[in-house]
Structures are given as C-alpha cells and as structure tokens.
Amino acid sequence: MVSSCVRVERDHELALIIVDNPPVNTITAAVREGLRQALEEIRADRDIRAVILMCEGSTFFSGADIGEFSGPPREVEYRTLFNGYEALGIPVVAAMHGTVMGGGLELALACHYRIASGATRFAMPEVTLGIIPGAGGTQRIPRLVGAERALEFILSAKPVGVVQAMEMGFLDHAVEGDLRTDAVAQTRSWLAAGKGPRRTGELSVRPATATPEVFERAAEQARKLYPNRNAALVAVEAVRKSANSSLIEGLEFETARVNECKQSTESRGAVHVFFAERDTRRVPGLGEDVRATPVKEAGVVGAGTMGGGIAICFANAGIPVTLVDADTAALERGMANVERTYRSMVDRGRLSAADMAQRMALIRGTLDFAQLRDADVVVEAVYESMSLKHEVFAKLDSIVKPGAVLATNTSTLDIEKIADSTSRPEAVIGMHFFSPANVMPLLEVVRTTRTSPAAIKTVMELAKPLRKTPVLARVCYGFIGNRMMEGYAREAERMVLEGATPRQVDSALEDWGMAMGILSVFDMAGIDVGVNVHKANASQYPPDPTYYQADFALHDAGRLGQKNGKGYYRYEKGNRTRIDDPEAIEILRARARELKTAPRQHSTVEIQERCLFPLLNEGFRVLGERIALRAADIDVVWTSGYGFPRYRGGPMFHAEVMGLENLLSGMRRYADTFGPMHWEPAPLLVELVERGITLAEWEKR
Ligand code: NAI
C-alpha cells in the first residue's frame, strides 16, 4: 500500500499499480501522490520487469479533478508524473475499462502499451469546458494517431469505443474476459516477444497528417463548432506545435496555453455550470432527519405529449408506472407514442429490442384511476385548466394511498390552488418537466407554502434515477424558467412588429449563443400553444396593446408553426428548415399598422440586449423574491432547459461577466426609450449595484 487509494501488488516479475478512488477514480491530489510514490517504489526494485496500471470500481481514471481548476496550476505536477512513467526503463501497460476521459486518457497515452475491455469509451472533452487537454494530450495523441485524427478527436469532444480506438491507433489490444487476467497474460507475452518500453514522446507526428491544409480545415471546424469561443482554436495550435517540436517544448507550450484558457470566461462559465448542476440537490433545511419515500411504483395521469414522455422516464429508471387517461382513443394514442419513441431508439441503435420490451412491460396503460392506489408518486399531466386539475386532484386524493406524493406538471397554474382541492396539501408539489420529457434534463421542482419537507426530498431524490437535474422553485407565475422567458419573448415579438424580420431576431440570438432563436422555438412548440397560454392569462398581462401581438396575428391568420408548415417562417412538408416567408412578414406589418407600432431599425446588439436584459433582470427578481434558492440554480434552469449557452455560465453568471452596473444602466437606457412599463430594474439588481457587492457576497449573508 503506498497511499489510501493507490497500492502496488506483485505478480512475480510484474508490478500492478491499482488505484481505488471512488466513485470514478478522479485524478485527485491524493491519487497523484500515490502514483508518484508507486513510481519511486518501482524504480527502486530491479526485479520488476513490467508495470500494469489499472483502476478498481466502475472505470479507469475518468479525468482530472475539475475542482482544482480554480486553484493554482497543476499542469507541471501532472507533466512530471506522467513523464516519469513514460521514462521508465521497463514496459508500462495501461489496462483500462469504463469511461476514460481527459487526464485519465492522457496518463494512458504516457504509458507504453494500452489495452482495454470491450465496452471502454475514450474521450477528450476539454474544449467543452473551455480548455484544452493539459496533461500532454495535445502532444501525445497526434504522435500516436496523426495530427488530423487527433484534431478530429479533440474537436468532436465525443467518446469513441474500443474498435475505433484501435483503428485510430492509440489502443493496442481489446480485452475479452477478465481485465486483470488478460492484462497479466498480454504483458507476459509482450515481454516474451522481447518488447520493451515504447515511448509516445519519442515518436514524431507523421508529416502527411500535419499539412497546413489540415490545420486550416481544423481551425475552420473549430470556429464552426464552437462559435464565440477560443479553446478549440487553441487546441488546434497546440496540436500544430506537436508536429514541429520536441515533446518537452510541446508540453511547455500546452501548459502555457491551458493556463490561459482556464482564466477565460468560456471556461469559468462552463465550470460554473458543471458545479452548479451538482449542487442543485443541496436544499437548506432538508437534513438527514427528513426521510424521502422510496419510489417503487409510479403513476402518470394524462397520456398526452408530456404524460407519455414522463412515463418513459419512469420506465427507463426501472420503476413500474401506471399511465391513466380519461379517453380510450387518447390512451391508445399515448401508448402508441411511447412505443414509437422506444422503436426509434432501437432503430438508431440506442436501445436493444430486449430492453425495449422490458421497459414497455413496465408501462401499464389504463382508464381506471383505481389502479393508482399503490403508487408512491403520481404525476398529473392533463390539459392546462384549473377546473380539470381540481377534478383530477380531488380524485387522486380519494384513491392514492396516504404518504404518496401528488405532483403536477403544470407550467402556469397556481399550485397552491391545485393543492386546495385535496385533503393533503403537504403532499402536493410541482414536477415541471420540459418537452420532450424523456430527453430534456431539467426538472423544476415547485414547492408550495405547505409542501412537506419529505415530499420535497422524495422528488429531489427521485430526479436521480429519472436522470433529471432537479431545481427547486417556489410558486409564482412561470416559476423560474418561464417567468424569465416572459420579457425575452416579449421583446422578440415586439421587434418583429417594429419591422425586424423573424430571421434577423433569431439570428442575432443564435449568434450570441442561444441554441435556437425564440421565434423558431415558437414555431416548433406551436403558435397555438402560446396563444392559449396568453388567452388563459390575459387578466394578469400588463396594459400594453402590442403584448404578444405577433403570436396573435400569425394565429389569427391560421399559422400554427411547424405543425401546419407556416408560422414565423414557412416549412416544406417533412422538413424543419426555416424559410423566410414574405407572407408572414406582411401579416406582422399589417398588425403593426393597426397597432400603430412605431417602426425602428434594429442593430444586432439592440436585438440581443432587448431580449437578454429583461431575461437577466427578471433573474434578479426571481432570486430577490426567493423563488429560486440560489443564483446558480437559475443558471442551471436556463442552461439545461432553455438552450442558454453553457460557456456563458447561465444568465446570472453572465450578468456579472457583463457587469451588474452595465445591466442596470442598460435597463434604464431602454426605459428612457420605451417607457418604464417593461423596463423597471429589479430591486435586487439596484441593491447590488448601489452596495457594490457581488451575487456571491449577497448570498453569503
Ligand atoms: P396534451 O393535450 O398532449 O395531453 C393531455 C392529456 O390529458 C390528453 O391525453 C387527455 O386525454 C388527458 N386528459 C384530459 N382530461 C383527463 C382526465 N380527466 N383524466 C385523465 N386524463 C385526462 O397536453 P400536454 O401538452 O401533455 O400537457 C399536459 C400538462 O403539461 C399541461 O399542464 C401543460 O401545461 C404541461 N406542460 C406541457 C409542456 C409541453 O411542452 N407540451 C411542457 C411542460 C408542461
């Protein structure tokens, strides 16, 4: 035993370094120290003829410790350690399994031979965290697979399997059967064949793979795949360096660049979101004494768009689920949709036919509410109508066993009122899934003033098997996400009335980094869906005659979005490509004339600011009113549910990057132009600017 997580075992002439740092063998400081000591021990023992490096548990090293990003640079320490293994005078074999990423793969590349069990996956996802591989990856992988394939691998950031790794040339042998047994046998056969150390660092990059055209194409690809970001371009430079430098020079270059990258906003933003996602489950006041109900059986009411997707989430988690609808045809349609979703996963090779059968068997469709009696959690997903929700919850109250959680998937209705229709308001909570429910990672968990801590904990913990990122919110119109969407969407619609084209608005937002422009989102979701929400909530809307009038104008003209091939854009049948449509633009202009909306020229910056400032500003209200627990939770909602770019860290993180005083003065500037109705700065924003403190300082109090 050389340290608590690294030990060296002997098998005659072989030394096995075995690392055990659960859950995923992250290369923490303790692991590095253990590996350093193991190296010394091996250097001192002349009887050892080869070394096998492997990990216990679910995976070989999954990567570096991202928690160290914000601390002092560690690259030199990594480099010295990895170079130490590479320099050994006896063969070093990395024996891998699981998901080998980033620093874990870089260590394997510094070993002399690499073998892996059949299901192993390898990736260098660093550019998605705004950095480049920093422990030798940019210098060693091109020496093994050529610059061209190294660039593809680093830029795609996607995992490859064993077959592809062998084809690329960084994996020597695929293991069948037990990893350790095979590793020992394979190492002995290499020794018997007289094979010695084979140092990656001593290879040169094959010149044919490292032509100027290769790097130009890669740079172009980097700009296309990672707009507004720099890390991917830096990675291209680092790989270029590998082609014309010694390993030592290349590593120096890599270290300098990766440390610059870590200071960048794109890296700080992405790392912030990474940790924010891990933290959302931490709820103050929900201590050990609060017990979650284990969910062994679930129910879903309403077999429509959302209900079907939610049932799939339960089945995927291995939880039997009863799907109830009031209507035979709707139930049949719902079950057919579930089956179609699974079938397409099988067709795309994402699921085996046997797994599909197993999951389908977990979903029981019925018209009989009494079948919900034993469910531990029931999620209601019927039409968005308060009277219907009342009826359904009263029924659930009379049927479902005591202690069960009664959840609603409502987007806009007051969950306090929904809870009033039961005799157990403490059991009622919002579970707000996003469409498609089986795909989108976000789950807004909405507590009322009466929801019990046990119900909150049950749902926050249930999110894990459902593979959702839960964010806790309190009741208000739109909760966290849709509430912040209000101003963002309002301005986009207002600008097309003022004469901007839908494409101009969407492109400005997409150029800024949003996954999809909001008007395209409306076309995808259905203009009628938005209009129904506007109608249902008209009484709460501000006295602005232009409010959401673009939606109404298109809807009045029978344009429902992609579903009937025309909305803000036009669509060819069976094709989602948006085509500019003069007819839509004329409809919007005509409505603007009726409303006497003053026309205006819009710069890209104005479009971005008018959409984003209200969005960010509302975030400060949501936080100030304690609708969200933490600023970082708001960032998670928008990055995981609304296509906000992770590299900008989410709306609250971005507000600080742009400067809170700039946001405040921006809001005031637009208030001067358009009047105060929609441009009132949030009290918390004003407070932070006046006191000159950051969000983190305010949250600490
Ligand atoms: P949908 O219209 O696709 O499905 C509603 C289903 O409920 C239908 O199958 C209908 O037959 C069934 N139903 C109606 N009355 C019933 C009753 N008394 N008992 C049992 N089943 C009944 O609706 P969708 O889009 O799935 O929405 C459901 C809920 O989810 C709504 O509250 C909506 O606001 C919310 N939501 C919808 C999202 C979306 O993108 N569609 C996103 C997030 C939440």
Side-chain angles (χ1 to χ4, degrees), residues 301-307 324-327 330-331 333 369 380-385 388-389 391-392 395 408-413 432-435 525 529:
V301 184
T305 312
M306 295 306 289
V324 186
D325 205 288
D327 179 81
L331 181 64
R333 226 178 305 125
F369 268 72
E380 164 279 314
V382 301
Y383 306 126
E384 189 79 331
S385 135
L388 181 57
K389 306 262 180 196
E391 183 191 316
V392 169
K395 213 176 214 173
T408 171
N409 185 46
T410 183
S411 310
T412 55
L413 299 174
H432 186 216
F433 290 80
F434 288 73
S435 182
V529 173

Side-chain angles (χ1 to χ4, degrees), residues 13 30 35 59 94 136 190 299 409 466 496 539 582:
E13 80 287 22
L35 288 172
T59 182
W190 276 322
N409 185 46
L466 296 184
V496 291
S539 63

Side-chain angles (χ1 to χ4, degrees), residues 17-40:
I17 301 176
I18 298 175
V19 180
D20 184 16
N21 184 32
V24 288
N25 288 311
T26 304
I27 309 178
T28 53
V31 168
R32 293 196 298 276
E33 177 54 20
L35 288 172
R36 196 189 58 74
Q37 289 179 25
L39 184 61
E40 273 179 19

